[in-house]
Amino acid sequence: MKFFTGLAAALIATTAGVADAQQSEVLFSHKHWEVSVVGWDDGSVGCVAEVKAPGESFSIWTFPDGTVQLQFYSTAWEFGEGQTADLGLQIDRRAPWSLTGAELYQNSVLFYLPDSQAGINFITEVARGNRLYLRDDSGSDVQNYSLSGSSASIGALVDCGDVIIKRTPGNPFK
């Protein structure tokens, strides 16, 4: 319950009179991961679980409409805008995943997970995995990320997502 009280306070702080384009509050930190609630100046919010290394990160975003987005970031990448690519992911030695039509935007690779069992299965693999490998369409390694601490962090991300969904206007009878 303490987590939800802190999250509610963070949501109020991030959405009330935000002066910057983005403001965030760390809700949970475990091993290499941080989970934060993020508010933008237009009043929208999101939750993010992120593992970072200098100049690099892998993030899982959740939004009030239930969408889940993967973001791979590197200061070494310069994509511009409007490009897409087919990429591969592999967690440990499990079967690889395909990211068909991933958006390449500035320093990021962005991909929305399907709202299906496949999306759930991917998040479950991340939570149980040790290392995630990002590969190009020919299977060559581009980057890899530690998943140490991902299980607890995915749990905190789900909790954060549940709170922002309840906060969003919609059905008053929920």
Side-chain angles (χ1 to χ4, degrees):
M1 190 58 146
K2 185 177 179 182
F3 175 79
F4 288 110
T5 304
L7 179 56
L11 280 171
I12 292 166
T14 58
T15 58
V18 178
D20 296 331
Q22 173 181 318
Q23 188 173 5
S24 65
E25 174 82 23
V26 175
L27 303 172
F28 180 80
S29 184
H30 184 63
K31 296 189 179 181
H32 296 109
W33 286 80
E34 279 187 354
V35 177
S36 301
V37 62
V38 179
W40 288 270
D41 61 358
D42 66 358
S44 61
V45 295
C47 298
V48 62
E50 183 173 44
V51 61
K52 295 180 188 178
E56 312 283 333
S57 66
F58 163 56
S59 308
I60 303 171
W61 289 86
T62 61
F63 300 99
D65 65 0
T67 58
V68 177
Q69 184 181 46
L70 305 180
Q71 179 182 17
F72 301 92
Y73 173 87
S74 176
T75 55
W77 301 336
E78 295 178 22
F79 299 121
E81 296 181 29
Q83 300 178 55
T84 61
D86 296 338
L87 307 171
L89 294 178
Q90 187 170 9
I91 299 166
D92 300 330
R93 294 181 181 258
R94 295 181 177 102
W97 294 83
S98 295
L99 303 183
T100 305
E103 180 184 357
L104 306 178
Y105 180 76
Q106 297 179 3
N107 301 90
S108 295
V109 174
L110 305 165
F111 185 79
Y112 285 97
L113 287 181
D115 185 17
S116 65
Q117 189 60 44
I120 293 168
N121 292 347
F122 178 80
I123 295 296
T124 301
E125 277 194 29
V126 169
R128 294 180 180 166
N130 295 306
R131 186 146 301 273
L132 182 145
Y133 300 91
L134 175 64
R135 298 192 168 120
D136 65 18
D137 61 348
S138 66
S140 297
D141 286 339
V142 173
Q143 187 57 268
N144 65 79
Y145 307 89
S146 171
L147 298 179
S148 180
S150 59
S151 182
S153 298
I154 296 294
L157 179 66
V158 169
D159 290 345
C160 180
D162 288 345
V163 171
I164 66 172
I165 287 170
K166 290 178 183 172
R167 180 196 161 278
T168 304
N171 183 345
F173 302 105
K174 277 190 170 181

